[in-house]
């Protein structure tokens, strides 16, 4: 017989976190099933189905290539602009769609949240994982593009999983905060598209980091997405390793956001059913 | 072994306190910061949905929770299922819990029956391999072998409910919370769900059962908790607790009835809050109420829909005092609670002055009541004075047939037509 579960007015600190994580682990089957559901539902009754996962970053790339590669001729350090911007679009699409889907995930499943208990962090996590799957599908197109563009693969690609992990941590951390706040203030929904648009220009999706003045870089690299996108290009296109100093800082920022986000989410969680 | 323990548990909701727009929250915060007291629009009103409730449940018990609407039953379930935390107090639970609060929670119409079984099972706390093992059993219980790979948006509502119930019924939890949901649906479905719950009970599950269905509660539960306005007022033997509940319902109904009368009297000149004694007056009484159908047969059963109902009341009024200007009223109520109709009739003031014994009759023409059990009550009030009303004993009236709450309480004859051409009279008098 397992330990009794206790609900009280003021939750206990410390051991609480371990219990919460164990509970999340216990609910892993729900996480996988729910993620599958989200994935299936997202593309059901659409003719192109999961091809949309590729079409989104591809469309971004096409527009960017036309405007910035062909018309404005943004320098790309020897890599064809489409390949250059596709890497940025991939990473950015993953980040932006993760937040866009994860933040309303609690409110969209109102009836479930108000009726049945389960670790609610599963809902935003599923959204992030679905976007990760999309990311993986879309990333498969990168290889033929590199071949056509004459960009060789380098051993530095082994760093890719590390970058993806940091990006997942960052996306999930922000999603937790956003999803919890969205339960109380639906204004979040309107803020997100705006914030993402600004954030897009603050990240090197359409331009290289070298275009950013040297003096501004210390501030520029406080944005973890800037460091991540730059790192993706380094390991995939340029055969370089990430700048470990900045990368380490971004990873730390991401972990801190995740830890704070998770704690904030679990604090707020008890009120979800009453407010939603 | 104790599997559930409530220790002085309370749950408070702030009514009218939701601030779901950021602007309101900011202005509210700013006002508090500047300690501006004025312009406190409608302060949040605390509402104690559950107040100071303590009880324990032993393993293997089947505990019913009953009470009027708003007594705190649903909040109790939310507290038990951890959906919401208590405002104060402590709740301990032991064992795996499954809340069958909403059938088909998380069902998605685009997904197939198979996928929804896995989804719903996971939400109810089943592991994937457990669902694998139970899958065939669930499908055959639902009787949906042929359609299991069809998206459930193509299911009929009956198929949908069967699938949802089949999953719910196969959750092997230590602790099962069952809401009213399992008593929806047709009779066959209800008995199937009750049979399944008995099976789970016999396998040692602890079950908390919330229902308005007293017969089910009495036959199924080993103990019953009675909630009233958020408080636990009684706990014990089902028969005794249900009896107490019905008395409370009766008292509430009576009170409602009195208020109704008072309101009726208040609307009249001279009427100043007439008091009605609970028991029938000794000297003064409507001592007999008889019911007759349209053919003049004395009966308590109204067989034909749209038949006339004649209510004949024998009264005795104090010779000395008399009733100056009598108002006669006959009420028909549904047994559960609601008033169907009340038909006050005031006699001609010039030749009234009711004294001694007599009979008055009210003929309800073309009474179109839905099948159910009703209560008929008659009374005499005095238009001029504030003396007590004379109230009859209730007489029951049965309109035979299976009550279908969804069909409402009024059963008029309906003539349907399609594209303007009359087709067929859809209702026929039941014989």
């Amino acid at each position: 017989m397992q330990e009794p579960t206790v609900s009280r007015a003021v939750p206990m600190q410390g051991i609480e976190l371990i219990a919460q994580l164990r509970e999340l682990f216990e609910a892993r089957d729900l996480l996988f099933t729910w993620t599958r559901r989200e994935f299936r539902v997202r593309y059901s009754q659409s003719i192109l189905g999961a091809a949309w996962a590729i079409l989104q970053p591809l469309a971004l790339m096409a527009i960017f290539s036309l405007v910035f590669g062909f018309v404005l001729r943004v320098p790309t350090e020897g890599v064809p602009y489409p390949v250059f911007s596709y890497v940025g679009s991939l990473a950015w699409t993953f980040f932006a769609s993760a937040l866009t889907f994860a933040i309303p995930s609690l409110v969209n499943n109102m009836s479930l949240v108000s009726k049945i208990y389960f670790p609610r962090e599963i809902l935003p996590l599923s959204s992030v994982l679905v976007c990760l799957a999309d990311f993986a599908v879309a990333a498969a197109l990168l290889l033929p593009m590199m071949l056509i563009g004459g960009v060789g693969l380098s051993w530095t690609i082994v760093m890719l999983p590390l970058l993806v992990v940091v990006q997942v941590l960052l996306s999930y951390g922000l999603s937790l905060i956003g999803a919890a706040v969205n339960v109380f203030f639906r204004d979040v929904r309107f803020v997100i598209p705006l914030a993402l648009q600004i954030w897009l220009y603050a990240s090197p999706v359409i331009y290289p980091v070298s275009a950013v003045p040297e003096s501004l870089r210390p501030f520029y690299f406080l944005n973890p997405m800037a460091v991540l996108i730059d790192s993706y290009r380094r390991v995939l296109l340029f055969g370089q390793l990430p700048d470990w100093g900045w990368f380490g800082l971004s990873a730390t920022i991401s972990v801190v956001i995740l830890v704070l986000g998770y704690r904030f989410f679990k604090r707020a969680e008890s009120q979800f059913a009453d407010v939603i | 072994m104790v599997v559930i323990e409530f220790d002085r548990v309370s749950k408070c909701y702030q009514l009218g306190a939701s601030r779901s727009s950021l602007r309101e929250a900011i202005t509210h915060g700013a006002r508090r910061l500047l300690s501006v007291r004025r312009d406190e629009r409608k302060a949040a009103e605390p509402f104690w949905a559950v107040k100071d409730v303590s009880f324990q449940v032993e393993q293997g018990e089947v505990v019913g929770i009953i009470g009027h609407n708003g007594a705190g039953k649903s909040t109790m379930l939310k507290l038990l299922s951890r959906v919401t935390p208590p405002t104060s107090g402590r709740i301990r639970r032991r064992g795996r819990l499954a809340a069958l609060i909403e059938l088909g929670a998380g069902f998605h119409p685009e997904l197939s029956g198979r996928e929804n079984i896995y989804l719903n099972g996971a939400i109810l706390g089943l592991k994937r391999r457990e669902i694998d093992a139970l899958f065939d059993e669930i499908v055959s219980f639902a009787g949906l072998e042929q359609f299991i790979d069809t998206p459930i948006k193509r299911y009929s509502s009956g198929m949908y409910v069967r699938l949802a119930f089949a999953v719910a019924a196969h959750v092997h939890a230590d602790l099962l919370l069952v809401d009213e949901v399992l008593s929806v649906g047709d009779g066959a479905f209800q008995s199937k769900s009750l049979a399944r719950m008995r099976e789970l009970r016999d396998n040692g599950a602890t079950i908390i059962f919330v229902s308005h269905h007293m017969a089910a509660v009495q036959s199924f539960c080993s103990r019953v908790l009675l909630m009233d306005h958020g408080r636990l007022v009684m706990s014990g033997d089902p028969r005794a607790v249900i009896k107490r509940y019905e008395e409370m319902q009766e008292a509430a109904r009576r009170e409602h009835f009195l208020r109704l009368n008072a309101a009726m009297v208040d609307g009249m000149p001279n009427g100043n809050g007439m008091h009605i004694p609970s028991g029938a007056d000794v000297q003064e009484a409507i001592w007999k109420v008889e019911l007759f159908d349209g053919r003049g047969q004395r009966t308590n059963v109204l067989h034909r829909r749209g038949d006339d109902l004649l209510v004949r009341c024998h009264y005795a009024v104090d010779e000395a005092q008399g009733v100056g200007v009598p108002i006669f009223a006959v009420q028909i109520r549904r047994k559960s609670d609601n008033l169907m109709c009340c038909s006050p009739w005031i006699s001609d003031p010039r030749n009234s002055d009711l004294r001694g014994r007599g009979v008055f009759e009210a003929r309800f023409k073309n009474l179109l009541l839905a099948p159910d059990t009703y209560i008929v009550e008659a009374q005499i009030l005095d238009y001029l004075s504030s003396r007590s009303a004379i109230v009859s004993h209730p007489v029951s009236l049965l309109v035979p047939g299976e009550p279908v709450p969804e069909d409402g309480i009024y059963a008029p004859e309906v003539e349907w037509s399609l594209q303007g051409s009359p087709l067929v009279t859809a209702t026929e008098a039941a014989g």
Side-chain angles (χ1 to χ4, degrees):
Chain A
M1 200 37 86
Q2 65 192 85
E3 285 290 293
T5 330
V6 180
S7 301
R8 53 176 97 224
V10 185
M12 283 191 302
Q13 301 299 316
I15 55 165
E16 197 85 337
L17 183 67
I18 299 164
Q20 285 164 356
L21 291 177
R22 188 198 292 152
E23 194 174 64
L24 179 58
F25 180 71
E26 286 291 317
R28 61 191 179 281
D29 281 2
L30 177 57
L31 174 66
F32 295 136
T33 316
W34 191 264
T35 306
R36 248 178 75 88
R37 168 205 142 129
E38 290 285 277
F39 195 81
R40 294 269 291 116
V41 167
R42 170 113 61 116
Y43 296 118
S44 68
Q45 279 218 347
S46 64
I47 298 167
L48 297 176
W52 281 111
I54 299 178
L55 285 173
Q56 282 169 339
L58 208 59
L60 274 185
M61 180 211 74
I63 294 165
F64 293 158
S65 298
L66 194 70
V67 178
F68 301 100
F70 186 69
V71 179
L72 293 175
R73 303 204 175 271
V74 170
T76 54
E77 293 155 22
V79 176
Y81 188 86
V83 181
F84 174 86
S85 72
Y86 191 66
V87 172
S89 304
L90 266 182
W92 180 258
T93 305
F94 174 26
F95 179 70
S97 59
L99 292 192
T100 308
F101 283 104
I103 285 172
S105 61
L106 291 174
V107 175
N108 288 347
N109 293 290
M110 206 178 273
S111 65
L112 211 55
V113 170
S114 62
K115 292 270 169 60
I116 288 177
Y117 180 80
F118 58 95
R120 273 65 175 265
E121 60 268 33
I122 282 179
L123 295 180
L125 184 53
S126 286
S127 306
V128 173
L129 292 180
V130 169
C131 295
L132 177 64
D134 282 355
F135 173 73
V137 172
L141 196 67
L142 186 63
L143 211 63
M145 284 180 75
M146 286 167 69
L147 281 176
I148 296 167
V151 185
L153 262 184
S154 159
W155 67 272
T156 49
I157 197 171
V158 298
M159 290 297 156
L160 188 62
L162 180 66
L163 307 189
V164 174
V165 166
V166 172
Q167 190 175 342
V168 168
L169 298 183
L170 176 68
S171 309
Y172 186 41
L174 291 171
S175 299
L176 283 171
I177 299 170
V181 174
N182 191 39
V183 170
F184 301 97
F185 309 111
R186 303 288 151 82
D187 306 62
V188 174
R189 205 175 11 171
F190 303 105
V191 173
I192 292 303
L194 188 67
L196 283 174
Q197 206 139 28
I198 297 167
W199 204 330
L200 168 69
Y201 292 109
S203 308
V205 180
I206 48 183
Y207 54 86
V209 170
S210 55
V212 178
E214 197 85 44
S215 57
L216 286 179
R217 296 235 181 115
F219 303 104
Y220 187 74
F221 280 143
L222 287 178
N223 167 12
M225 277 313 289
V227 177
L228 277 167
I229 291 172
D230 182 49
S231 303
Y232 281 117
R233 290 212 179 101
R234 281 167 181 256
V235 305
L236 290 170
L237 305 180
F238 301 120
Q240 298 169 1
L241 287 171
D243 181 322
W244 290 119
W246 289 118
F247 185 78
L249 178 68
S250 292
T252 312
I253 292 174
S254 302
V255 169
V256 168
I257 287 176
L258 178 63
V259 171
L260 292 180
Y262 188 73
R263 296 199 62 145
F264 173 71
F265 186 92
K266 291 308 266 187
R267 289 261 174 93
E269 186 182 26
S270 61
Q271 289 179 54
F272 289 167
D274 297 346
V275 176
I276 209 160
Chain B
M1 188 178 59
V2 176
V3 288
I4 297 175
E5 187 184 351
F6 265 53
D7 185 14
R8 302 182 67 91
V9 170
S10 299
K11 177 71 190 182
C12 180
Y13 288 102
Q14 299 291 327
L15 289 188
S18 87
R19 274 189 297 276
S20 51
S21 133
L22 196 58
R23 196 185 52 174
E24 280 175 57
I26 291 170
T27 50
H28 182 84
R31 215 175 278 136
R32 275 178 44 168
L33 218 64
L34 300 167
S35 66
V36 179
R37 281 286 166 82
R38 69 206 157 82
D39 189 33
E40 276 290 310
R41 272 176 304 162
K42 212 171 143 199
E45 204 180 310
F47 168 70
W48 293 92
V50 167
K51 185 89 177 111
D52 206 19
V53 169
S54 303
F55 67 94
Q56 292 188 342
V57 176
E58 295 279 330
Q59 190 188 359
E61 270 192 289
V62 179
V63 177
I65 302 179
I66 61 175
H68 60 92
N69 286 329
K73 301 189 299 290
S74 335
T75 309
M76 290 282 279
L77 277 183
K78 283 190 172 180
L79 289 166
L80 277 163
S81 64
R82 300 180 64 195
V83 164
T84 190
T87 308
S88 66
R90 197 181 59 170
I91 303 167
R92 281 165 164 277
R93 294 170 221 79
R94 202 182 277 276
R96 193 169 81 172
L97 175 138
L100 309 188
I101 290 176
E102 198 181 55
L103 277 183
F107 265 17
H108 199 287
E110 295 285 348
L111 301 179
S112 70
R114 178 187 305 275
E115 287 168 305
N116 272 305
I117 288 177
Y118 278 95
L119 188 62
N120 192 223
I123 290 167
L124 295 177
L126 289 176
K127 299 266 174 248
R128 199 177 172 85
R129 55 172 192 285
E130 292 174 307
I131 307 174
D132 287 336
L134 288 167
F135 187 82
D136 292 335
E137 206 182 321
I138 292 173
V139 175
S140 73
F141 192 91
L144 289 170
E145 290 88 344
Q146 275 177 280
F147 307 101
I148 204 60
D149 289 309
T150 310
I152 61 167
K153 65 180 174 186
R154 312 230 184 278
Y155 281 21
S156 70
S157 57
M159 288 158 78
Y160 184 95
V161 171
R162 254 156 45 211
L163 184 69
F165 178 73
V167 182
H170 287 82
V171 175
H172 291 287
D174 309 309
L175 200 58
L176 213 57
L177 306 181
V178 184
D179 196 4
E180 203 78 78
V181 281
L182 291 190
S183 48
V184 299
D186 55 45
F189 179 76
Q190 279 187 23
S191 53
K192 197 171 183 179
S193 68
L194 271 176
R196 180 67 197 179
M197 287 210 294
R198 284 205 182 87
E199 216 174 295
L200 294 171
R201 173 191 67 185
D202 298 341
N203 290 340
T206 309
I207 300 177
I208 307 287
F209 183 55
V210 169
S211 182
H212 283 287
H213 191 3
M214 290 307 137
V217 170
Q218 180 154 343
S219 72
F220 184 55
C221 298
S222 56
R223 185 154 64 103
V224 175
L225 307 179
L226 174 58
M227 299 289 296
D228 183 38
H229 295 99
R231 289 176 186 276
L232 177 62
V233 290
M234 191 178 176
S235 158
D237 172 60
R239 198 174 295 270
V241 178
I242 289 172
K243 184 158 178 283
R244 170 83 176 277
Y245 173 62
E246 278 169 350
E247 284 165 8
M248 277 167 56
Q249 289 281 86
E250 177 65 25
R253 197 173 55 70
R254 189 169 287 278
E255 197 185 316
H256 173 75
F257 183 55
L258 292 182
R259 245 185 288 122
L260 204 77
N261 274 319
M264 207 170 90
V265 170
D266 278 345
M268 296 168 184
N270 295 341
N272 38 10
M274 191 175 281
H275 172 70
I276 304 170
S278 51
D281 202 292
V282 194
Q283 279 91 37
E284 297 192 316
I286 298 171
W287 49 277
K288 192 156 100 185
V289 175
E290 294 170 306
L291 306 181
F292 299 87
D293 65 16
R295 278 167 291 192
Q297 289 291 95
R298 193 167 163 203
T299 181
N300 282 78
V301 185
L302 214 55
H303 282 293
R304 287 191 306 129
R305 192 204 331 233
D307 200 355
D308 289 0
L309 174 75
L310 178 73
V311 183
R312 179 178 295 162
C313 308
H314 301 258
Y315 66 84
V317 175
D318 187 10
E319 287 283 358
Q321 203 181 359
V323 176
V325 177
I327 304 167
F328 303 97
V330 175
Q331 296 191 331
I332 302 178
R333 280 201 319 269
R334 197 131 70 134
K335 193 156 196 178
S336 40
D337 47 23
N338 47 351
L339 181 68
M340 303 297 303
C341 56
C342 177
S343 57
W345 174 71
I346 184 160
S347 60
D348 186 348
R350 282 165 301 181
N351 57 1
S352 49
D353 195 19
L354 211 62
R355 281 169 207 275
R357 285 168 173 257
V359 175
F360 67 89
E361 288 181 351
R363 181 182 291 273
F364 290 77
K365 295 198 159 188
N366 308 325
L367 204 54
L368 295 165
L369 292 174
D372 208 337
T373 310
Y374 298 89
I375 288 169
V376 179
E377 260 177 339
Q379 56 180 307
I380 305 172
L381 302 105
D382 194 341
Y383 184 71
L384 292 180
S385 79
S386 60
R387 61 187 301 237
S388 316
I390 304 166
V391 186
S392 77
H393 287 293
V395 174
S396 68
L397 169 69
L398 182 70
V399 179
E402 181 75 9
V404 183
E406 291 77 13
D407 288 354
I409 51 181
Y410 173 57
E413 262 186 74
V414 181
E415 191 169 316
W416 289 89
S417 69
L418 190 62
Q419 292 176 345
S421 54
L423 263 179
V424 126
T425 305
T427 54
E428 70 278 17

